[in-house]
Amino acid sequence: MAKYFDVHSQNPQPRSIGQVADAVRSGALIAYPTDSCYALGCKLGSRDGIDRIRSIRHLDDRHHFTLMCRDFAQLGQFVRVDNDVFRAIKASTPGSYTFILPATREVPRMLQHPKKKTVGVRIPDHVVTQALLEELGEPLLSSTLLLPDEEEPMTQGWEIKDRLDHAVDAVVDSGDCGTEPTTVVDFSGGEAEIVRRGAGDTSRFE
């Protein structure tokens, strides 16, 4: 059964955040809120976590996982960013965007797109997510919590706990965080390519 953490959306309890971070470090797969719907998350190098996310979401090996980063300095350790792209991303973060970029050697190969050697990165604008990333001290490997054959992600922590009780190890509930996923922008070819229009404004990339 998944552990359930009821976390305040604006003043997350340090003890709860610490317990969730410890669980992630120990290999747990968690469901947690972001600024654009709930996500599944695990430790960066956890093959078991990746396999479980693929199983829950029915994903193939071409799916871009996302590294949820605390800030731009952390993001820069895991992807290569030239000056023009740097300015575009800097102006859009934190926020509801996922950027696809060439991965550095810091990114485990199993997380990279098998042909493009790219990975998704983002910096969330969500108090609870930021508190968790601060406590964790490294990115959280993530994927939107969208179940197969469903058009919208689940929005309630209690519902996630009820439906995925034996599939995840912990659920972090800080209230409804919406159903619209991030806007995905692919910079791996040098120019901005909008892959998915979502919660983030796309006008600056068009």
Side-chain angles (χ1 to χ4, degrees), residues 48-92:
D48 177 66
I50 292 170
D51 289 343
R52 291 168 69 188
I53 291 173
R54 288 192 195 280
S55 176
I56 291 169
R57 292 203 54 202
H58 294 184
L59 301 173
D60 61 28
D61 64 0
R62 294 185 300 278
H63 175 76
H64 269 110
F65 283 98
T66 298
L67 301 183
M68 193 75 73
C69 299
R70 182 178 69 248
D71 53 28
F72 208 92
Q74 191 177 71
L75 180 148
Q77 299 174 37
F78 296 92
V79 289
R80 296 197 300 276
V81 186
D82 66 26
N83 289 338
D84 290 340
V85 174
F86 174 91
R87 286 190 289 270
I89 296 177
K90 187 77 170 174
S92 309

Side-chain angles (χ1 to χ4, degrees), residues 161-183:
K161 167 83 164 90
D162 189 49
R163 293 190 59 184
L164 297 179
D165 203 21
H166 297 288
V168 301
D169 301 304
V171 176
V172 181
D173 188 352
S174 64
D176 192 330
C177 55
T179 61
E180 192 169 17
T182 57
T183 290

Side-chain angles (χ1 to χ4, degrees), residues 134-157:
E134 182 76 29
E135 179 68 24
L136 198 57
E138 65 178 26
L140 196 57
L141 170 63
S142 295
S143 182
T144 302
L145 208 178
L146 181 62
L147 297 181
D149 303 321
E150 294 194 9
E151 293 185 3
E152 291 191 342
M154 287 181 284
T155 61
Q156 303 292 337

Side-chain angles (χ1 to χ4, degrees), residues 67 77-79 103-112 119:
L67 301 183
Q77 299 174 37
F78 296 92
V79 289
T104 67
R105 292 181 179 180
E106 298 295 318
V107 180
R109 185 166 295 185
M110 60 185 171
L111 300 184
Q112 300 177 27
V119 70

Side-chain angles (χ1 to χ4, degrees), residues 64 72 75 79-93 97-103 116-122 183-196 201-206:
H64 269 110
F72 208 92
L75 180 148
V79 289
R80 296 197 300 276
V81 186
D82 66 26
N83 289 338
D84 290 340
V85 174
F86 174 91
R87 286 190 289 270
I89 296 177
K90 187 77 170 174
S92 309
T93 56
Y97 297 91
T98 299
F99 300 102
I100 297 172
L101 289 158
K116 298 179 180 179
K117 307 304 179 191
T118 50
V119 70
V121 287
R122 87 180 195 88
T183 290
V184 179
V185 184
D186 188 343
F187 275 113
S188 62
E191 300 290 327
E193 178 189 349
I194 298 169
V195 177
R196 179 178 71 196
D201 180 15
T202 61
S203 60
R204 72 176 75 234
F205 302 109
E206 295 178 303

